[in-house]
Amino acid sequence: MSGAGRFEAYDEPDDEGEAGQEGVEGDDGSRKTDDDKDAGQGPDQVRDPGGYGGPAGPGDGSDDDSGGRPGPGETPDPGRPPRIPMPRTSVEDGGRPLPALEEPAPAPPLVLEHHVLKALLGAWALAACSTEETMAVEEHLGDCGTCADEALRLREAVGLLQRPESLDLDPGLRTRVLDGCLDRRPPRIPVPVWATPYDAETARLDALLQDIGDAEWHAPVRLRWFEADEATSRRTTVAGVIAHLLTVDGLVAVALGLDDPLGDVTPEAPTPAARTEAYWRASHFPPTRSVRLPWREQSHDLVRTVSFTGGDTSRAGETEPGAGGGRPAVPYGAFELPLHDAMLDRAFECWVHAEDIAEAVDYPYGPPSPRHLNRMIDLAARMLPTALAVRRRTGRAAPALGRHLVPVGEPGRSLRLEIEGHGGGEWLIPLDSPGAVGSAEHEIAHVALDGVEFCRLAAGHVSPAEAAAGQLGDREAIRDVLFAAASLSRM
């Protein structure tokens, strides 16, 4: 500070010719220019570019490099205030037009021979060409049909090299996180092991539904299944699929004493298909996204209720007390399932229909975690002997040479079902009687299938004739088992 509390400015001089005409206010309030001030200086003084009087600074070509600022021990000239440059005016604020940008001249198009352009098709399909090469190839594709066909095949092949990444999390991540949390702090009332697949699959489907927009709830979906060895389908929407899951899950809800989602609506038969059709008919308008909330609340109620009802956490099919042990059987119309199998069945159908929805809205969707997938495959394998018996009663199974009935619990002719991939394993399927026991000594056929492929066969999404199966042994027995697996499907 200098004088009576006044800040001194140590600004460098502006460009030559601009700062020289800047005026400053004198002590008496008058406006003085640099020329007036220079006229009052003696011959030994020159104009001070830093705003100070005194010896010449670097502006006169002297060797002093202080820039006109006071050196050590020196003070500014008290008779001359500091010179502060005026702010510059922006080009945009001055109203003057901006300078025009010179755009580079477009590069001339590449002129390449046919064999060179054909050699570039692979790089073009991989998006590895330069801009000029891409323009040359695409212009050539409009004139050459042979190269256009080859480019189309290459582009489709590129799509097979990289599978679309799922927008959903890894199905096994939820299980690993829950296992880690439960190891640290076990729950007072745990979810039974046979109910965890349903809990996981409903959560995955709910995450998919949260990602889709309002319009996608009306996207067309075709439900597929096998009936009397014939492929059958039913057209609906995404919201219609969730309504279907709501009504069929209601079979378990009613068995547990919960409210029936059908309410006062009476279906023609207590079957999953009849209940679904009744719900669709009772709706004044096609189902919308509003059906998601009651479906999700019901799934939470089911998991919560079976956690209190289920008691033990034994694996499905092992030491199950069944209906007589306090856990009710769930009727499906023509048959019924124990509660633990019914929950696995609902988890399986939830995954299958989630894939139907994902396909309709173009959403990548992966299979269940290996542990849950193994339980679903195990349920289908345990239901195959009964399905084979139904086919024999209806005359759709081929008469097998050497078939003989065996007492309940005794070994009989068997087929080895080998499931490959994650969640796989081996099952011996008794062929002659549901009460018989599979036996390796009586094995007459061997079938190998991928785990997901087998589940899609059991869901009616793959026909028995198209199932990619490794087959060895009795062809009639293999055919009966594959068609029996397809007959497990329903709407």
Side-chain angles (χ1 to χ4, degrees):
M1 300 193 51
S2 107
R6 184 173 58 190
F7 280 101
E8 298 288 354
Y10 298 128
D11 293 339
E12 291 293 333
D14 251 338
D15 296 336
E16 186 176 357
E18 294 180 8
Q21 298 299 325
E22 293 287 322
V24 296
E25 188 176 353
D27 294 339
D28 57 354
S30 61
R31 193 75 173 176
K32 298 181 180 181
T33 63
D34 289 341
D35 295 337
D36 296 335
K37 290 179 286 186
D38 289 344
Q41 294 177 352
D44 296 333
Q45 291 181 326
V46 297
R47 185 177 166 194
D48 180 11
Y52 297 96
D60 63 346
S62 65
D63 295 335
D64 183 13
D65 58 355
S66 63
R69 292 174 174 77
E74 298 181 10
T75 58
D77 182 5
R80 183 180 180 187
R83 183 178 58 82
I84 303 176
M86 296 296 289
R88 295 184 178 181
T89 302
S90 173
V91 175
E92 292 85 350
D93 297 336
R96 290 179 289 178
L98 296 175
L101 297 177
E102 296 183 0
E103 297 183 358
L110 287 179
V111 179
L112 302 175
E113 298 182 5
H114 179 271
H115 69 278
V116 177
L117 292 168
K118 185 176 182 180
L120 287 173
L121 291 179
W124 172 84
L126 292 169
C129 289
S130 65
T131 304
E132 295 79 8
E133 291 172 341
T134 301
M135 294 177 60
V137 170
E138 292 179 351
E139 183 177 357
H140 176 68
L141 295 180
D143 300 330
C144 181
T146 303
C147 289
D149 293 340
E150 180 67 17
L152 180 61
R153 287 192 292 269
L154 290 173
R155 182 60 64 89
E156 292 175 350
V158 169
L160 299 175
L161 295 177
Q162 183 177 5
R163 299 179 61 184
E165 296 183 0
S166 175
L167 302 178
D168 200 2
L169 296 176
D170 178 9
L173 179 60
R174 183 178 186 274
T175 302
R176 293 195 298 270
V177 172
L178 286 178
D179 288 345
C181 295
L182 297 178
D183 287 342
R184 290 177 176 270
R185 186 178 179 182
R188 291 185 296 109
I189 303 176
V191 177
V193 174
W194 42 266
T196 54
Y198 177 79
D199 188 26
E201 291 309 308
T202 52
R204 286 211 303 148
L205 175 54
D206 188 56
L208 184 156
L209 298 177
Q210 289 180 358
D211 284 347
I212 66 177
D214 291 340
E216 291 176 311
W217 280 86
H218 303 286
V221 179
R222 185 166 293 278
L223 302 179
R224 295 168 290 169
W225 70 96
F226 265 72
E227 188 172 349
D229 292 351
E230 296 292 337
T232 310
S233 65
R234 178 71 157 80
R235 183 184 175 89
T236 183
T237 63
V238 171
V241 175
I242 301 303
H244 167 61
L245 291 175
L246 172 70
T247 55
V248 184
D249 286 356
L251 291 170
V252 183
V254 172
L256 292 173
L258 301 175
D259 293 336
D260 190 345
L262 287 180
D264 297 333
V265 178
T266 303
E268 296 178 357
T271 62
R275 287 174 59 87
T276 302
E277 295 287 355
Y279 185 93
W280 286 343
R281 286 194 304 268
S283 301
H284 297 289
F285 299 98
T288 63
R289 69 177 307 151
S290 61
V291 75
R292 171 176 169 255
L293 182 59
W295 166 78
R296 192 64 179 123
E297 288 180 347
Q298 179 178 257
S299 66
H300 284 308
D301 291 341
L302 290 178
V303 173
R304 187 182 304 112
T305 304
V306 298
S307 298
F308 286 97
T309 306
D312 70 289
T313 57
S314 61
R315 179 186 172 98
E318 297 178 2
T319 64
E320 277 299 328
R327 281 184 286 184
V330 179
Y332 279 75
F335 64 97
E336 63 180 25
L337 291 174
L339 178 61
H340 59 270
D341 283 348
M343 292 297 289
L344 276 175
D345 172 77
R346 303 315 307 142
F348 175 78
E349 187 167 359
C350 182
W351 163 47
V352 169
H353 290 321
E355 281 198 335
D356 293 335
I357 294 173
E359 182 180 355
V361 300
D362 196 19
Y363 189 109
Y365 202 82
S369 64
R371 183 190 309 177
H372 297 164
L373 185 63
N374 177 266
R375 294 183 182 277
M376 297 176 189
I377 295 172
D378 177 72
L379 172 63
R382 288 188 285 109
M383 295 176 69
L384 280 176
T386 303
L388 284 169
V390 172
R391 287 181 57 80
R392 281 193 295 268
R393 287 198 301 267
T394 56
R396 291 198 299 271
L401 297 177
R403 174 176 178 267
H404 60 282
L405 296 177
V406 296
V408 176
E410 294 294 325
R413 295 189 319 143
S414 304
L415 176 142
R416 182 180 298 275
L417 177 63
E418 180 182 355
I419 302 299
E420 302 172 339
H422 297 297
E426 289 189 358
W427 287 262
L428 288 169
I429 310 299
L431 299 174
D432 297 329
S433 173
V437 177
S439 170
E441 290 77 11
H442 297 79
E443 179 182 328
I444 64 171
H446 185 180
V447 173
L449 274 168
D450 175 73
V452 175
E453 186 80 0
F454 174 75
C455 288
R456 288 174 178 161
L457 172 65
H461 286 200
V462 176
S463 69
E466 296 174 353
Q471 305 177 5
L472 179 66
D474 191 325
R475 296 296 178 181
E476 292 296 335
I478 293 173
R479 181 183 181 278
D480 284 343
V481 169
L482 293 179
F483 273 88
S487 69
L488 296 176
S489 62
R490 60 181 180 274
M491 186 177 78

